[in-house]
Amino acid sequence: MLTAKKSAWFETVFRLYNRNLLRRRFSSLRVRNLQSLADNELPTIVYANHSSWWDGLVCYELFKRADADMFVMMEEDNLRMYPLFRKLGAFSVDRNNARSALASIEYAANVAKQKPRRAILIFPQGKILHSRSRPFEFESGIVRLVERLAPCRVVPLALSYEFGREFKPEIFAAVGEGLVAVPGEIPISLAGLATQLTNELDGIEMALNNDQFDNFVDLLR
């Protein structure tokens, strides 16, 4: 597997580039409950729907605004194509190799425990699908990571890209309160995680239908 090779100077430069890129391409980045992305006490697993090429860049901005130290699990073939992402906290997973996938889970768990406010970002669908595709089908790796890392927080992050009254599209992000996974208690299930993420996406759609965004903050202003 390919491990992360975080670089502080590269992150500083990339953060400026990324924010300017998002401002050029989108009219807004509206987020709800941003503070839930990281925790001072427990390591955090954030799982998001994967509906766009932009997801990784959007999440990077969200995590930085939340003062969270993000590491992200990325398909090994894609990470080999874009190795600079390792400097931002990306590490690889090969879903076609069981031993390698387990090594990636072990690596993610070890990284998450090293410092406060660290979070592991996962896209458990394993492929890009429209945000309105239902039902969500997750691969089992996220549950294995929860079992390896517990006690930990497991937080859904819903992402949606919408065209509305603005010339450029808008990004909407809703962060759930999440669950605390404790060894020996009721286990986390794929169905339960999918329901939580679905509820957050439904909340975005409800806000769009009613034009009610009082509890969303635009990070691009």
Side-chain angles (χ1 to χ4, degrees):
M1 65 166 293
L2 302 175
T3 61
K5 301 290 184 182
K6 276 211 170 190
S7 165
W9 72 264
F10 185 80
E11 283 203 86
T12 298
V13 173
F14 183 83
R15 185 177 183 185
L16 294 173
Y17 166 79
N18 189 53
R19 187 176 299 172
N20 289 332
L21 178 63
L22 293 174
R23 283 173 173 161
R24 290 200 307 269
R25 298 300 180 91
F26 297 94
S27 62
S28 66
L29 169 51
R30 301 181 190 237
V31 59
R32 179 177 64 198
N33 198 28
L34 180 66
Q35 69 278 4
S36 188
L37 282 180
D39 186 84
N40 286 323
E41 302 298 328
L42 291 175
T44 302
I45 300 169
V46 178
Y47 65 102
N49 60 300
H50 200 6
S51 62
S52 169
W53 177 89
W54 287 96
D55 291 340
L57 302 183
V58 171
C59 287
Y60 187 80
E61 178 66 13
L62 293 175
F63 278 77
K64 283 298 182 183
R65 292 296 187 97
D67 192 27
D69 190 11
M70 183 187 85
F71 285 74
V72 57
M73 185 179 287
M74 186 172 173
E75 285 283 356
E76 187 161 314
D77 289 344
N78 292 333
L79 189 53
R80 290 191 185 279
M81 291 176 59
Y82 303 103
L84 286 178
F85 286 160
R86 297 175 71 185
K87 295 179 180 292
L88 302 174
F91 61 94
S92 74
V93 61
D94 183 354
R95 291 184 171 91
N96 297 316
N97 185 319
R99 179 175 295 180
S100 178
L102 287 175
S104 297
I105 290 171
E106 185 71 18
Y107 175 80
N110 290 335
V111 164
K113 292 178 180 179
Q114 289 174 359
K115 292 182 180 179
R117 300 195 66 76
R118 277 203 170 166
I120 305 297
L121 173 64
I122 295 182
F123 298 100
Q125 291 170 289
K127 56 186 175 182
I128 294 178
L129 295 169
H130 196 281
S131 61
R132 292 184 175 85
S133 296
R134 299 290 191 278
F136 283 122
E137 294 182 357
F138 293 164
E139 297 187 0
S140 62
I142 185 171
V143 171
R144 293 179 181 175
L145 178 56
V146 171
E147 293 170 348
R148 174 63 182 81
L149 190 53
C152 62
R153 296 172 65 244
V154 189
V155 177
L157 169 58
L159 301 170
S160 184
Y161 304 82
E162 305 290 340
F163 279 94
R165 293 172 294 184
E166 304 291 338
F167 175 72
K168 295 184 289 186
E170 295 181 278
I171 310 168
F172 295 89
V175 186
E177 292 298 333
L179 302 170
V180 175
V182 179
E185 294 190 359
I186 298 174
I188 300 294
S189 69
L190 292 178
L193 295 176
T195 296
Q196 279 208 320
L197 186 56
T198 300
N199 290 341
E200 295 301 325
L201 280 166
D202 289 346
I204 291 176
E205 188 167 357
M206 184 178 298
L208 287 166
N209 291 339
N210 297 302
D211 197 25
Q212 294 180 347
F213 302 105
D214 293 342
N215 55 351
F216 286 80
V217 177
D218 185 0
L219 300 185
L220 297 187
R221 288 190 179 276

